Amino acid sequence: MTTRLFLASILAAGLLLALPGWTAAQARDGQPAVETIVEKTNCVAYYQGKDGRALVSMVISDAQGRTRQRQFTILRWDDEPAAAPPDSVCGEQKYYVYFHRPADVRRTVFLVWKHVAKDDDRWLYLPALDLVKRIAASDERTSFVGSHFFYEDVSGRSIAEDTHELVQTTDHYYVLRNVPKNPESVEFVAFTMWVHRQSFLPVRVVYYDRQGEPYRVYEALKVDRIQGYPTVTQARMRDQRLGGETVITYERVQYNLGLPESLFSERYLRHPPREYLR
Amino acid sequence: MLGITAFIALLLMAGGIAAQAPPLPPGREGLPVEPALPPGLGSPAGPQKATAPLRPALPFVLAGFGEARLGLRTQEDPHEKDVSLGEVRVQVQLEKAWERVTARLSSDFLFDAVLDRHAVDLEAGEGAVDLREAHLLLRPVAFLDVKVGRQILTWGTGDLVFINDLFPKDFNALFLGRDPEYLKAPSDALKLSLFTPVVNLDVVYTPRFDPDRFLDGRRLSFFNPQLGRRAGRDAVMQVDRPAAWFVDSELAWRVYRTVAGYELALYGYRGFWKSPVGFDPATARATFPPLAVYGASVRGAVAGGIGYLEVGYYDSEDDRRGDDPLVPNRELRLLLGHERELRRNLTVGVQYFLQRMLQHEAFRRTLPPGSPDPGAYRHLLTVRLTQLLWQQTLRLSLFAFYSPSDADAYLRPRAHYALNDHWSVELGANLFVGAKAHTFFGQLSDNSNLYAGVRYSF
């Protein structure tokens, strides 16, 4: 029954963020309730289009400026039909992540069945061993593939984990302040989101530590309109504690490919669906 | 010049973060600072830009790595060289995909300074060429995948412990400190995978028996029951391998489906013991007696992690009564495992493995005088700890086996560091501890070793 808040999300930003129309979610007259904004941001972000694909590149820079690259194709499939209205409770999802780079993880596949009410199911396919490994659910605030993005940035943070306050409405943004209900489980005391009013895209997210200092910042750097859906095609996460930043770029973004659900199974871990990975 | 540019960029970056939202008391952070709209928001979005190709314009995919490895024994072994590992290896992978067919070739070219013979034996994986994969992957109809040729095969749930996975393994590679991928040796086989809405079925037919790359004494010393002591290069094991095409074949199958996130599987195997555990006094050679295995497994989310259970019945067809001391008895095997993340970036896996000899009484009665009795039950506990550090570029791991019934242990500490997207280095050890000369790990105690490796991946 949980819905998930879109937070500087890789998948959401790259694949899922989409609106039926550019101005469909306009709310200039009359202030929407904070819950409405939060839910709309989340639901619209994660469940538009019945599936999606993107070629994702990450450039990870460390504090010394040394860079590493990750490149992978993400396929997403939604359990809910595409016609689900944005306000509905969104259903389960499946993700297929096929790695192209770096060379030592080429052909590795990461499969996730994302559940709304329990831990996700995750598998990893290691091609050199032909091994389908089941992986334990991890702390959501663990780095995703060594980048500055966390798993939680990838798969979404449950709305129920934070309290939300609409602190300001500007010409362009709703400014939301979010405070974790269980502060021990996370490394921040609050985060602020600038949600674009027309598109419900989060344009900047800033995380604050116990001293009230900002230390982690997400920014959408570029937005493209793809098949009518505004889509973040470049974003950046900076983290002062880790040092450095990760810039993520989405290419070949496509929605509504008609991906079959069966693709998100052991069969396609061992036999990747090349027609969708090119 | 580059250094200065990078430094300025860093300054700007550090300054950038501070400038975006100056420190404010909690509750009022960042309020006055509004981000500019990114390109594409507010203004019309441009078209999606064209993408550079994923790979250089070759008619096929080319990948692989080059690596060098050196390993040294931590103690003297009267039967083996002090250098346990000394090799330079290049792996070349070629892949070409058509609409319904993918062809894949992967071969190692290596120089092994420890071995005295370098003649190429593709079947055994010996010499300067080790052909790892050479297969076609086809989808003739929607519900069928076919993989034919040389391939690596794996199924089952265990972590370095196997029950129903009877595909060939390379224990030399494991114990000497090669990359973990070399634990699996290739099969020359036909694999049919059938997919139906109810269950899926895999059938693997190996027309000629592919044994493990077993310990034979050339690289690792171990207990030789005929000599009643540890032996190595002084008594390299001579074997009779069942090798008649289409007669000495293997058949393995698996039926599986996933129910509510729980993976259920049934397994079967008919072939031979994968390592030479039998003995023929007439030829004085070790043999691979016939074996059939039936088993099952289940795997799924348990207690915040992944739990699994796997069982297998080993039917040693040439010794059903259990009274032939030269052929292994029938066995029951059971594995129970759990893996979970203990804290951020630290994963812990534990396993309990039980091996039960089914006719121990008959075995004991017919055991030649002076031969060690392993007992009816072998218990094995394993722990795997994996810690990721430095943004996951450094991986520290420890895999420990401990058998209370054999009173022996095997420790595998390993540190792997990725310097960048191409270069990685690793350091590790294989440490065997045991009081007795004949137990599974105890027999290997003269082989404890340290190793180091460096790899360039492309």
Side-chain angles (χ1 to χ4, degrees), chain B residues 297-375:
Chain B
S297 72
V298 56
R299 177 167 72 175
V302 174
I306 300 301
Y308 47 90
L309 170 68
E310 185 167 339
V311 293
Y313 164 61
Y314 277 51
D315 185 4
S316 187
E317 293 172 337
D318 279 3
D319 189 20
R320 286 226 164 99
R321 292 202 310 265
D323 55 4
D324 184 343
L326 302 177
V327 174
N329 265 23
R330 292 184 290 145
E331 285 178 11
L332 277 180
R333 295 187 180 190
L334 177 145
L335 173 70
L336 199 60
H338 190 257
E339 183 180 299
R340 66 170 298 171
E341 192 186 64
L342 207 61
R343 57 161 205 262
R344 215 165 284 170
N345 290 318
L346 174 64
T347 310
V348 179
V350 292
Q351 298 182 119
Y352 166 71
F353 175 69
L354 171 70
Q355 202 175 339
R356 190 193 162 200
M357 194 189 288
L358 281 175
Q359 283 140 317
H360 181 249
E361 192 48 44
F363 170 84
R364 215 175 48 81
R365 217 173 41 241
T366 52
L367 195 66
S371 294
D373 175 6

Side-chain angles (χ1 to χ4, degrees), chain B residues 3-328:
Chain B
I4 293 169
T5 317
F7 183 61
I8 293 172
L10 268 175
L11 276 183
L12 289 175
M13 233 158 70
I17 288 185
Q20 280 153 20
L24 287 170
R28 298 197 42 80
E29 313 95 343
L31 268 190
V33 192
E34 174 161 330
L37 287 176
L41 266 193
S43 60
Q48 217 183 337
K49 71 166 187 184
T51 306
L54 273 179
R55 294 247 140 206
L58 285 174
F60 49 83
V61 175
L62 171 67
F65 61 82
E67 70 163 26
R69 266 171 200 264
L70 179 69
L72 298 170
R73 281 191 163 70
T74 55
Q75 67 292 304
E76 211 163 286
D77 184 333
H79 310 296
E80 302 290 347
K81 296 180 180 176
D82 291 340
V83 178
S84 50
L85 197 60
E87 59 196 34
V88 178
R89 177 188 298 268
V90 175
Q91 183 173 96
V92 178
Q93 305 166 13
L94 302 173
E95 199 171 291
K96 173 81 182 167
W98 296 272
E99 194 166 338
R100 283 178 175 274
V101 184
T102 303
R104 184 172 166 80
L105 189 72
S106 169
S107 183
D108 283 17
F109 301 91
L110 71 154
F111 175 69
D112 186 330
V114 179
L115 278 184
D116 301 324
R117 266 180 83 246
H118 299 283
V120 173
D121 180 343
L122 282 184
E123 186 93 26
E126 286 174 8
V129 180
D130 182 4
L131 183 63
R132 309 280 310 164
E133 292 173 273
H135 62 246
L136 295 175
L137 182 54
L138 311 99
R139 181 163 298 161
V141 284
F143 58 86
L144 179 69
D145 286 355
V146 178
K147 201 171 185 178
V148 58
R150 176 159 288 205
Q151 53 191 299
I152 305 288
L153 290 159
T154 299
W155 63 38
T157 61
D159 186 5
L160 296 187
V161 176
F162 304 94
I163 294 181
N164 292 296
D165 178 335
L166 288 133
F167 304 113
K169 294 160 199 88
D170 185 346
F171 292 108
N172 292 289
L174 180 73
F175 297 149
L176 290 172
R178 293 199 180 107
D179 188 276
E181 77 171 77
Y182 290 97
L183 170 61
K184 281 296 188 150
S187 302
D188 296 319
L190 168 71
K191 181 183 182 190
L192 301 176
S193 301
L194 213 79
F195 301 91
T196 78
V198 184
V199 291
N200 303 318
L201 170 69
D202 285 332
V203 178
V204 178
Y205 177 68
T206 308
R208 188 162 81 142
F209 172 55
D210 278 323
D212 289 339
R213 295 181 178 180
F214 51 88
L215 308 189
D216 63 4
R218 281 180 300 171
R219 299 298 288 265
L220 294 152
S221 61
F222 59 98
F223 185 78
N224 181 319
Q226 274 69 51
L227 299 175
R229 61 164 174 87
R230 287 191 187 101
R233 299 201 309 144
D234 57 322
V236 171
M237 185 185 277
Q238 304 298 315
V239 300
D240 262 338
R241 180 166 78 95
W245 283 92
F246 305 106
V247 176
D248 295 322
S249 58
E250 294 173 276
L251 187 71
W253 54 262
R254 173 176 70 136
V255 177
Y256 65 101
R257 72 166 294 175
T258 301
V259 180
Y262 288 86
E263 299 161 274
L264 312 173
L266 297 173
Y267 308 85
Y269 170 80
R270 199 179 170 100
F272 304 89
W273 289 86
K274 302 294 289 191
S275 284
V277 289
F279 187 73
D280 182 352
T283 58
R285 282 170 179 264
T287 60
F288 301 83
L291 174 71
V293 177
Y294 307 96
S297 72
V298 56
R299 177 167 72 175
V302 174
I306 300 301
Y308 47 90
L309 170 68
E310 185 167 339
V311 293
Y313 164 61
Y314 277 51
D315 185 4
S316 187
E317 293 172 337
D318 279 3
D319 189 20
R320 286 226 164 99
R321 292 202 310 265
D323 55 4
D324 184 343
L326 302 177
V327 174

